[in-house]
Amino acid sequence: MSAKTYEVRTHGCQMNVHDSERLAGLLEDAGYVPAPEGADGADVVVFNTCAVRENADNKLYGNLGQLAPKKASRPGMQIAVGGCLAQKDRDTIVKKAPWVDVVFGTHNIGKLPVLLERARVQEEAQVEIAESLEAFPSTLPTRRESAYAAWVSISVGCNNTCTFCIVPALRGKEKDRRPGDILAEIETLVSEGVSEITLLGQNVNAYGSDIGDREAFSKLLRACGKIEGLERVRFTSPHPRDFTDDVIAAMAETPNVMPQLHMPLQSGSDAVLKSMRRSYRQERFLGIIEKVRAAMPDAAISTDIIVGFPGETEEDFEQTLHTVRESRFAQAFTFQYSKRPGTPAATMEGQIPKEVVQARYERLVALQEEISWEENKKQVGRTVEVMVAEGEGRKDGATHRLSGRAPDNRLVHFTKPAAEVRPGDMVTVEITYAAPHHLLAEGEAVSVRRTRSGDAWERRNAAPPQPAGVMLGLPTVGAPAPAPAEPAGGCCPTS
């Protein structure tokens, strides 16, 4: 009898992408195998949902509706819904879509295989939503998406009360992992070929509040610097409230911590920040940017901005534009405010007309495009070491180029070297052209460095995928493949 197949469909932020790696690992540990690409359906389809967008539920039910006839014609097929929307709408999913077999929440993803089996045996839907975390996700088996880069979760939950965000209600209060467990996971990943890790949390630099150490995050960054073979360390996303000088010093003084920072602004107006219940103001934010630039002059800083928050005046919006001009972000993820059901902002007075929000949004995007291009032009003539990536350049086949990320996380497309290179290898190139969202290196590569990560990628792609995940408690190698951008203020981990 052939093994049952599965497919995990992910919506949302980096935390959801990482959770889906856990779900895949759990299913493979239970004997399921990934559905072949292009196959007409899987035996088990899992939706890992996001509750940030106003129409998130419509999107889910539309997808579920498309699967209903397929399930009716395929005996034994099962559908599961998990993630933030499942945590929020626990009582309505099975009512609206009675063909769903399992509904599980953000706190009990480890129960998925058991719930699927129970639904099969009892022939009725299983709805199980834990109100608090049952086990830290990183103790679960994992099927990582990449051989050279990996997410490493250091905390879950969030203690903030931003009025536009429903995440704390769905993922709970912040809970930190022990530093020793985090470092043990990183060391295991490195031993298996990973050379880049991204530390992940809803509010990553608040790490330590749960274990009583205000400098725990900077200590963790410095400890990562002592792991032999770990070439690149990144983290996302910090909160300006918790961004302290010891973290800046640790970034600047730890060679493998990359000169890159994603710092969510949300608004440049003090009045709007107060209404958002953000515990910093414009002066504090710009002060952090100034300190980071003083310590790391070449750091690339990105951000998240919400346009059209309830009550935002033209003067408020001008303050956001001013902050953007002063900050000189390399990139900004800009979003038009939309009501998140269940958040205080959804019922606030002063909801901004759609046409006003759209006009402001277009002005902000135009300004940021101009700044991004100007900042990228400063890279022309520089020599950078690029980590070759898989799937970053959609036109690479036609242009005979490869793509990857510079240390500051800028996307670089470069001429394919004569020597063989694999994802995870390092190629040093000279930047010859800049566009707003990418850089080009059109000359010959300065040098090519084959790496253990490239070896790991080669091994993974030479052998057929194994049906089992990995022994409980330790992840396999894997990667933050580019996640779909979601509205900043509402979804983990854009804090």
Side-chain angles (χ1 to χ4, degrees):
M1 182 178 176
S2 59
K4 290 185 177 180
T5 61
Y6 77 89
E7 176 189 358
V8 180
R9 302 184 185 183
T10 308
H11 304 280
C13 64
Q14 297 99 322
M15 190 67 78
N16 275 28
V17 173
H18 191 36
D19 282 349
S20 289
E21 292 182 329
R22 305 289 178 200
L23 293 169
L26 284 160
L27 290 169
E28 295 192 14
D29 215 41
Y32 295 83
V33 298
E37 203 167 320
D40 185 26
D43 296 312
V44 172
V45 177
V46 183
F47 290 91
N48 188 11
T49 63
C50 173
V52 168
R53 292 191 185 276
E54 187 177 14
N55 64 349
D57 53 349
N58 294 333
K59 185 174 183 179
L60 171 66
Y61 294 120
N63 288 330
L64 291 175
Q66 292 173 5
L67 282 183
K70 182 169 288 189
K71 186 183 179 190
S73 65
R74 183 170 181 158
M77 181 181 176
Q78 291 183 296
I79 300 172
V81 179
C84 290
L85 193 61
Q87 189 82 18
K88 183 172 78 74
D89 291 350
R90 63 191 77 183
D91 299 323
T92 60
I93 291 175
V94 174
K95 290 179 183 176
K96 290 186 176 182
W99 55 92
V100 169
D101 298 276
V102 171
V103 179
F104 62 101
T106 60
H107 298 309
N108 61 332
I109 64 175
K111 289 288 186 67
L112 177 59
V114 172
L115 294 172
L116 287 168
E117 181 63 14
R118 194 187 300 164
R120 185 186 66 79
V121 172
Q122 297 182 6
E123 297 183 344
E124 65 179 12
Q126 301 295 308
V127 180
E128 189 169 308
I129 307 289
E131 296 302 330
S132 60
L133 193 67
E134 293 183 347
F136 202 92
S138 289
T139 64
L140 302 174
T142 308
R143 184 182 187 274
R144 305 259 178 175
E145 289 301 313
S146 161
Y148 53 87
W151 304 112
V152 175
S153 188
I154 70 170
S155 65
V156 294
C158 181
N159 293 338
N160 294 316
T161 57
C162 302
T163 54
F164 52 74
C165 183
I166 199 170
V167 168
L170 302 180
R171 290 194 177 262
K173 293 292 185 182
E174 181 179 326
K175 186 171 180 61
D176 296 334
R177 289 178 74 190
R178 290 170 49 193
D181 293 341
I182 297 168
L183 295 170
E185 179 179 349
I186 295 171
E187 287 171 352
T188 299
L189 289 165
V190 171
S191 73
E192 295 176 347
V194 167
S195 57
E196 175 177 310
I197 60 105
T198 301
L199 303 174
L200 185 64
Q202 248 86 39
N203 180 6
V204 71
N205 62 318
Y207 177 74
S209 62
D210 182 47
I211 57 180
D213 184 353
R214 292 178 62 86
E215 294 189 354
F217 186 60
S218 62
K219 291 175 183 175
L220 182 62
L221 291 177
R222 292 184 186 276
C224 287
K226 298 176 182 178
I227 298 176
E228 189 174 350
L230 179 59
E231 298 200 31
R232 293 185 171 189
V233 177
R234 307 186 191 276
F235 58 88
T236 193
S237 286
H239 192 293
R241 182 194 68 183
D242 302 300
F243 207 84
T244 49
D245 291 350
D246 61 297
V247 173
I248 297 173
M251 291 178 67
E253 295 166 10
T254 309
N256 64 355
V257 175
M258 294 293 96
Q260 174 220 347
L261 175 65
H262 183 77
M263 179 74 79
L265 168 64
Q266 309 303 9
S267 173
S269 161
D270 288 355
V272 173
L273 288 170
K274 182 178 180 181
S275 184
M276 288 178 167
R277 213 176 289 160
R278 303 285 286 180
S279 50
Y280 57 89
R281 298 297 178 258
Q282 181 192 108
E283 184 178 5
R284 158 77 173 153
F285 186 92
L286 290 175
I288 293 171
I289 300 298
E290 184 178 358
K291 287 180 179 179
V292 170
R293 290 246 162 83
M296 295 170 286
D298 294 330
I301 302 173
S302 57
T303 196
D304 301 314
I305 302 173
I306 298 173
V307 177
F309 188 79
E312 180 188 74
T313 64
E314 179 62 26
E315 183 180 352
D316 291 327
F317 179 65
E318 287 292 343
Q319 287 300 307
T320 295
L321 296 180
H322 168 73
T323 309
V324 168
R325 292 188 189 99
E326 291 294 309
S327 299
R328 304 294 299 176
F329 297 117
Q331 188 177 17
F333 299 93
T334 53
F335 306 96
Q336 298 183 39
Y337 173 78
S338 62
K339 293 181 182 179
R340 275 71 160 178
T343 62
T347 56
M348 283 183 177
E349 295 182 358
Q351 301 287 329
I352 311 297
K354 171 65 178 175
E355 60 273 16
V356 175
V357 177
Q358 180 67 33
R360 290 177 183 170
Y361 174 79
E362 290 173 2
R363 288 163 60 195
L364 175 61
V365 168
L367 172 62
Q368 182 55 51
E369 286 277 302
E370 179 184 330
I371 293 172
S372 294
W373 201 357
E374 289 173 357
E375 291 301 306
N376 274 1
K377 285 176 181 177
K378 296 176 183 178
Q379 308 303 310
V380 174
R382 291 187 177 180
T383 300
V384 297
E385 186 172 57
V386 177
M387 178 183 284
V388 182
E390 189 173 29
E392 287 269 36
R394 287 172 290 181
K395 299 179 182 178
D396 282 351
T399 58
H400 303 291
R401 292 177 179 139
L402 297 176
S403 297
R405 296 281 171 174
D408 63 8
N409 209 40
R410 283 183 165 93
L411 178 61
V412 181
H413 304 300
F414 57 95
T415 301
K416 190 173 182 178
E420 180 193 5
V421 292
R422 307 152 302 176
D425 286 338
M426 298 287 193
V427 179
T428 301
V429 297
E430 181 180 331
I431 304 302
T432 58
Y433 175 81
H437 303 292
H438 69 267
L439 303 172
L440 285 182
E442 298 167 297
E444 292 185 11
V446 176
S447 65
V448 173
R449 178 162 63 90
R450 291 171 70 86
T451 65
R452 294 179 309 101
S453 289
D455 295 342
W457 180 90
E458 196 166 39
R459 286 194 302 272
R460 171 181 282 202
N461 287 272
Q466 299 300 311
V470 65
M471 60 182 176
L472 194 63
L474 292 176
T476 56
V477 294
E486 284 294 330
C491 195
C492 51
T494 41
S495 302

PDB file of all heavy atoms in Angstrom, residues 436-447:
ATOM      1  N   PRO A 436      15.524  49.977  -8.404  1.00  0.00           N
ATOM      2  CA  PRO A 436      14.970  50.220  -7.061  1.00  0.00           C
ATOM      3  C   PRO A 436      14.911  48.981  -6.173  1.00  0.00           C
ATOM      4  O   PRO A 436      15.055  49.087  -4.956  1.00  0.00           O
ATOM      5  CB  PRO A 436      13.566  50.759  -7.361  1.00  0.00           C
ATOM      6  CG  PRO A 436      13.678  51.382  -8.716  1.00  0.00           C
ATOM      7  CD  PRO A 436      14.639  50.509  -9.463  1.00  0.00           C
ATOM      8  N   HIS A 437      14.717  47.801  -6.769  1.00  0.00           N
ATOM      9  CA  HIS A 437      14.494  46.614  -5.952  1.00  0.00           C
ATOM     10  C   HIS A 437      15.533  45.509  -6.151  1.00  0.00           C
ATOM     11  O   HIS A 437      15.403  44.436  -5.574  1.00  0.00           O
ATOM     12  CB  HIS A 437      13.092  46.045  -6.223  1.00  0.00           C
ATOM     13  CG  HIS A 437      12.002  47.039  -5.967  1.00  0.00           C
ATOM     14  ND1 HIS A 437      11.707  47.492  -4.695  1.00  0.00           N
ATOM     15  CD2 HIS A 437      11.163  47.692  -6.811  1.00  0.00           C
ATOM     16  CE1 HIS A 437      10.719  48.373  -4.774  1.00  0.00           C
ATOM     17  NE2 HIS A 437      10.382  48.517  -6.041  1.00  0.00           N
ATOM     18  N   HIS A 438      16.541  45.760  -6.963  1.00  0.00           N
ATOM     19  CA  HIS A 438      17.593  44.763  -7.134  1.00  0.00           C
ATOM     20  C   HIS A 438      18.860  45.415  -7.670  1.00  0.00           C
ATOM     21  O   HIS A 438      18.844  46.555  -8.130  1.00  0.00           O
ATOM     22  CB  HIS A 438      17.143  43.632  -8.066  1.00  0.00           C
ATOM     23  CG  HIS A 438      16.974  44.057  -9.495  1.00  0.00           C
ATOM     24  ND1 HIS A 438      15.770  44.466 -10.007  1.00  0.00           N
ATOM     25  CD2 HIS A 438      17.867  44.139 -10.526  1.00  0.00           C
ATOM     26  CE1 HIS A 438      15.918  44.785 -11.286  1.00  0.00           C
ATOM     27  NE2 HIS A 438      17.179  44.597 -11.614  1.00  0.00           N
ATOM     28  N   LEU A 439      19.939  44.661  -7.615  1.00  0.00           N
ATOM     29  CA  LEU A 439      21.219  45.089  -8.159  1.00  0.00           C
ATOM     30  C   LEU A 439      21.654  44.102  -9.233  1.00  0.00           C
ATOM     31  O   LEU A 439      21.258  42.932  -9.204  1.00  0.00           O
ATOM     32  CB  LEU A 439      22.283  45.132  -7.051  1.00  0.00           C
ATOM     33  CG  LEU A 439      21.983  46.015  -5.836  1.00  0.00           C
ATOM     34  CD1 LEU A 439      23.028  45.785  -4.747  1.00  0.00           C
ATOM     35  CD2 LEU A 439      21.927  47.489  -6.230  1.00  0.00           C
ATOM     36  N   LEU A 440      22.486  44.585 -10.185  1.00  0.00           N
ATOM     37  CA  LEU A 440      23.035  43.718 -11.219  1.00  0.00           C
ATOM     38  C   LEU A 440      24.565  43.711 -11.130  1.00  0.00           C
ATOM     39  O   LEU A 440      25.184  44.740 -10.863  1.00  0.00           O
ATOM     40  CB  LEU A 440      22.630  44.198 -12.617  1.00  0.00           C
ATOM     41  CG  LEU A 440      21.198  43.965 -13.085  1.00  0.00           C
ATOM     42  CD1 LEU A 440      21.041  44.483 -14.519  1.00  0.00           C
ATOM     43  CD2 LEU A 440      20.808  42.508 -12.998  1.00  0.00           C
ATOM     44  N   ALA A 441      25.147  42.536 -11.372  1.00  0.00           N
ATOM     45  CA  ALA A 441      26.592  42.395 -11.514  1.00  0.00           C
ATOM     46  C   ALA A 441      26.811  41.704 -12.854  1.00  0.00           C
ATOM     47  O   ALA A 441      26.673  40.487 -12.969  1.00  0.00           O
ATOM     48  CB  ALA A 441      27.169  41.581 -10.366  1.00  0.00           C
ATOM     49  N   GLU A 442      27.118  42.506 -13.871  1.00  0.00           N
ATOM     50  CA  GLU A 442      27.116  41.984 -15.243  1.00  0.00           C
ATOM     51  C   GLU A 442      28.480  41.492 -15.711  1.00  0.00           C
ATOM     52  O   GLU A 442      28.592  40.901 -16.776  1.00  0.00           O
ATOM     53  CB  GLU A 442      26.595  43.083 -16.182  1.00  0.00           C
ATOM     54  CG  GLU A 442      25.152  43.487 -15.852  1.00  0.00           C
ATOM     55  CD  GLU A 442      24.720  44.769 -16.539  1.00  0.00           C
ATOM     56  OE1 GLU A 442      25.328  45.824 -16.257  1.00  0.00           O
ATOM     57  OE2 GLU A 442      23.775  44.707 -17.342  1.00  0.00           O
ATOM     58  N   GLY A 443      29.516  41.742 -14.939  1.00  0.00           N
ATOM     59  CA  GLY A 443      30.847  41.279 -15.336  1.00  0.00           C
ATOM     60  C   GLY A 443      31.116  39.865 -14.838  1.00  0.00           C
ATOM     61  O   GLY A 443      30.238  39.189 -14.282  1.00  0.00           O
ATOM     62  N   GLU A 444      32.349  39.419 -15.068  1.00  0.00           N
ATOM     63  CA  GLU A 444      32.741  38.102 -14.575  1.00  0.00           C
ATOM     64  C   GLU A 444      32.847  38.132 -13.057  1.00  0.00           C
ATOM     65  O   GLU A 444      33.180  39.150 -12.446  1.00  0.00           O
ATOM     66  CB  GLU A 444      34.084  37.686 -15.177  1.00  0.00           C
ATOM     67  CG  GLU A 444      34.037  37.416 -16.667  1.00  0.00           C
ATOM     68  CD  GLU A 444      35.374  36.894 -17.192  1.00  0.00           C
ATOM     69  OE1 GLU A 444      36.241  36.554 -16.343  1.00  0.00           O
ATOM     70  OE2 GLU A 444      35.542  36.827 -18.409  1.00  0.00           O
ATOM     71  N   ALA A 445      32.565  36.990 -12.447  1.00  0.00           N
ATOM     72  CA  ALA A 445      32.671  36.887 -10.997  1.00  0.00           C
ATOM     73  C   ALA A 445      34.117  37.102 -10.560  1.00  0.00           C
ATOM     74  O   ALA A 445      35.056  36.643 -11.228  1.00  0.00           O
ATOM     75  CB  ALA A 445      32.183  35.523 -10.525  1.00  0.00           C
ATOM     76  N   VAL A 446      34.301  37.793  -9.464  1.00  0.00           N
ATOM     77  CA  VAL A 446      35.636  38.001  -8.907  1.00  0.00           C
ATOM     78  C   VAL A 446      36.178  36.685  -8.361  1.00  0.00           C
ATOM     79  O   VAL A 446      37.336  36.325  -8.560  1.00  0.00           O
ATOM     80  CB  VAL A 446      35.598  39.070  -7.802  1.00  0.00           C
ATOM     81  CG1 VAL A 446      36.966  39.221  -7.141  1.00  0.00           C
ATOM     82  CG2 VAL A 446      35.106  40.402  -8.361  1.00  0.00           C
ATOM     83  N   SER A 447      35.313  35.931  -7.673  1.00  0.00           N
ATOM     84  CA  SER A 447      35.714  34.633  -7.134  1.00  0.00           C
ATOM     85  C   SER A 447      34.480  33.801  -6.832  1.00  0.00           C
ATOM     86  O   SER A 447      33.370  34.326  -6.688  1.00  0.00           O
ATOM     87  CB  SER A 447      36.558  34.797  -5.863  1.00  0.00           C
ATOM     88  OG  SER A 447      35.783  35.377  -4.831  1.00  0.00           O
TER      89      SER A 447
END
